[in-house]
């Protein structure tokens, strides 16, 4: 089943269950997906939808950090709940060992010799890791590997 269909089905189930928090989060996700489709005049595939969901999770994590810094735990809890719902639709996260193995393979495949080849390595990694690991952390690990 396509990811968009899964989201729509879960929206219906949330409506029937009268789960307003879950329903609101799913609607936000569907809205963001639809907005990107309209802006770019394309139909998003599952990988593109995962990219949208990843961006939404990242935004919410940033919000949680800001709310906690401002002692607004009530708002941080709302954002954390949204993160939980969004992560249900994302692929299983990679373990540290899996990420390291993927980096090793990408460095070997791209024949990277130093920092100047970081773009090649990241280009190979991005499709495999998108939505399954924090790209910022992966970038740091690649940088350490190539240094």
């Amino acid at each position: 089943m396509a990811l968009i269909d899964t989201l729509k089905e879960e929206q219906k189930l949330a409506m029937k269950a009268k789960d307003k928090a879950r329903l609101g989060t799913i609607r936000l996700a569907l809205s963001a997906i639809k907005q990107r489709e309209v802006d770019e005049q394309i139909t998003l595939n599952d990988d593109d939808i995962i990219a949208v969901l990843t961006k939404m999770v990242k935004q919410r994590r940033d919000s949680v950090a800001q709310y906690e810094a401002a002692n607004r735990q009530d708002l941080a809890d709302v954002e954390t709940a949204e993160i939980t719902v969004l992560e249900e639709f994302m692929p299983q996260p990679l373990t540290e060992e899996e990420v390291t193995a993927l980096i090793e393979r990408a460095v070997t495949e791209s024949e990277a010799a130093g920092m100047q080849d970081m773009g090649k390595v990241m280009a190979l990694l991005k499709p495999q890791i998108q939505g399954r690991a924090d790209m910022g952390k992966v970038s740091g690990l690649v940088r350490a590997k190539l240094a």
Side-chain angles (χ1 to χ4, degrees), residues 111-131:
E111 300 173 355
M115 285 303 294
Q116 68 274 14
D117 297 324
M118 186 168 172
K120 292 179 191 175
V121 175
M122 291 303 290
L124 286 172
L125 286 173
K126 189 170 184 179
Q128 300 169 16
I129 293 180
Q130 183 72 39

Side-chain angles (χ1 to χ4, degrees), residues 54 58 61 99 129 131-141:
T54 302
K58 184 178 186 303
R61 284 196 175 118
V99 172
I129 293 180
R132 300 179 68 196
D134 181 6
M135 291 303 287
K137 290 179 183 174
V138 171
S139 177
L141 292 171

Side-chain angles (χ1 to χ4, degrees), residues 4-138:
I4 191 75
D5 296 332
T6 303
L7 280 164
K8 289 179 181 176
E9 188 62 34
E10 287 297 320
Q11 180 183 18
K12 289 177 193 172
L13 292 173
M15 279 186 213
K16 289 178 184 175
K18 296 186 179 4
D19 187 347
K20 290 183 179 182
R22 182 174 175 79
L23 178 61
T25 303
I26 294 171
R27 281 183 172 161
L28 282 171
L30 289 170
S31 174
I33 292 165
K34 189 67 171 173
Q35 183 65 47
R36 181 148 174 230
E37 286 180 339
V38 169
D39 288 348
E40 298 179 15
Q41 298 179 350
I42 59 171
T43 301
L44 298 180
N45 60 26
D46 282 356
D47 292 336
D48 296 330
I49 293 171
I50 288 171
V52 171
L53 294 177
T54 302
K55 182 178 178 184
M56 291 178 71
V57 168
K58 184 178 186 303
Q59 288 171 338
R60 275 146 188 79
R61 284 196 175 118
D62 292 343
S63 296
V64 167
Q66 291 176 1
Y67 289 143
E68 287 176 348
N71 291 326
R72 291 297 308 266
Q73 194 58 42
D74 55 328
L75 296 175
D77 292 341
V78 171
E79 297 289 327
T80 304
E82 288 182 3
I83 289 170
T84 305
V85 172
L86 292 172
E87 285 179 338
E88 289 178 30
F89 302 104
M90 296 174 65
Q92 194 69 5
L94 294 171
T95 64
E96 194 75 33
E97 295 80 27
E98 291 172 322
V99 172
T100 305
L102 286 171
I103 290 171
E104 293 284 340
R105 193 167 66 225
V107 168
T108 305
E109 285 178 21
S110 67
E111 300 173 355
M115 285 303 294
Q116 68 274 14
D117 297 324
M118 186 168 172
K120 292 179 191 175
V121 175
M122 291 303 290
L124 286 172
L125 286 173
K126 189 170 184 179
Q128 300 169 16
I129 293 180
Q130 183 72 39
R132 300 179 68 196
D134 181 6
M135 291 303 287
K137 290 179 183 174
V138 171

